[in-house]
């Protein structure tokens, strides 16, 4: 699954890993029921609800998408701790290369495992990644029923407002 990335992004959204469905169709967060695109819109990152096939429009807005682990799976819970840790090292190198203003990791469990922060919570992190500030959001997968769409929108909005207020 190719990254949607460029230098100097406002936010680099980082999923755990692509779904098999996303890998087949070639678009991030493409699986029906994934709430990433509705959360972006409801939180004000996008003016309208984008379809996964319109993902390139994010770059013009200053946003990109990557994953901690490149391997596509039916469910992220089949990833090993070793895969997540190795993916974390690759993500850090990517962040150093592209220098986004903020990295938003979409999955608290992935962040805790990949970066060795077992007690981390959602929101702004006290740690940086490759010198870049980190924000952790819930995994927007439809399989993660812990968060309702309104909760996701609120948490994504908090990130958007923090990034906008930190503009130089």
């Amino acid at each position: 699954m190719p990254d949607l990335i460029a230098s100097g992004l406002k936010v680099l959204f980082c999923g755990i890993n692509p779904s098999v469905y996303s890998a087949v169709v070639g678009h991030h967060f493409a699986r029906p029921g994934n709430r990433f695109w509705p959360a972006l819109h409801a939180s004000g990152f996008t003016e309208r609800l984008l379809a996964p096939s319109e993902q390139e429009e994010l770059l013009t807005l200053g946003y990109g998408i990557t994953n901690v682990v490149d391997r596509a799976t039916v469910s992220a819970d089949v990833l090993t701790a070793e895969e997540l840790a190795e993916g974390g090292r690759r993500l850090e190198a990517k962040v150093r290369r592209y220098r986004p203003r903020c990295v938003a990791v979409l999955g608290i469990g992935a962040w805790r495992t990949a970066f060795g922060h077992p007690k981390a919570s959602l929101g702004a992190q006290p740690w940086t990644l490759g010198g870049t500030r980190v924000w952790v959001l819930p995994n927007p997968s439809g399989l993660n029923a812990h968060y309702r769409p309104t909760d996701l929108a609120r948490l994504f909005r908090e990130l958007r407002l923090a990034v906008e207020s930190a503009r130089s």
Side-chain angles (χ1 to χ4, degrees):
M1 186 81 197
D3 289 334
L4 182 68
I5 197 166
S7 293
L9 295 169
K10 295 176 202 172
V11 179
L12 178 60
F13 291 97
C14 183
I16 301 168
N17 72 309
S19 69
V20 172
Y21 186 91
S22 286
V24 168
V25 300
H27 303 298
H28 293 274
F29 302 104
R31 184 178 179 157
N34 193 295
R35 299 165 304 162
F36 175 76
W37 299 101
L40 278 186
H41 174 60
S43 63
F45 276 105
T46 61
E47 290 184 13
R48 64 180 181 82
L49 178 59
L50 297 177
S53 61
E54 299 174 295
Q55 67 184 17
E56 296 291 328
E57 291 188 31
L58 286 183
L59 288 176
T60 64
L61 299 172
Y63 311 121
I65 304 173
T66 190
N67 290 290
V68 176
V69 174
D70 293 333
R71 181 169 70 99
T73 61
V74 173
S75 175
D77 64 0
V78 301
L79 298 173
T80 66
E82 293 78 21
E83 281 180 288
L84 288 165
E86 176 58 31
R89 289 187 287 276
R90 283 194 308 274
L91 177 60
E92 184 169 8
K94 201 176 295 185
V95 168
R96 286 186 189 283
R97 177 178 177 198
Y98 288 99
R99 316 291 294 158
R101 266 192 239 160
C102 182
V103 174
V105 177
L106 306 175
I108 187 73
W111 169 255
R112 288 172 176 165
T113 302
F115 298 98
H117 299 300
K119 295 187 189 266
S121 57
L122 294 174
Q125 300 300 300
W127 310 280
T128 62
L129 183 63
T132 297
R133 63 192 282 206
V134 176
W135 199 280
V136 177
L137 294 167
N139 180 346
S141 168
L143 301 174
N144 183 10
H146 294 37
Y147 293 92
R148 296 173 302 161
T150 54
D151 297 327
L152 288 174
R154 177 181 50 78
L155 294 166
F156 273 61
R157 185 177 308 108
E158 289 173 7
L159 166 62
R160 181 181 59 80
L161 294 173
V163 169
E164 286 176 359
S165 71
R167 285 185 189 161
S168 3

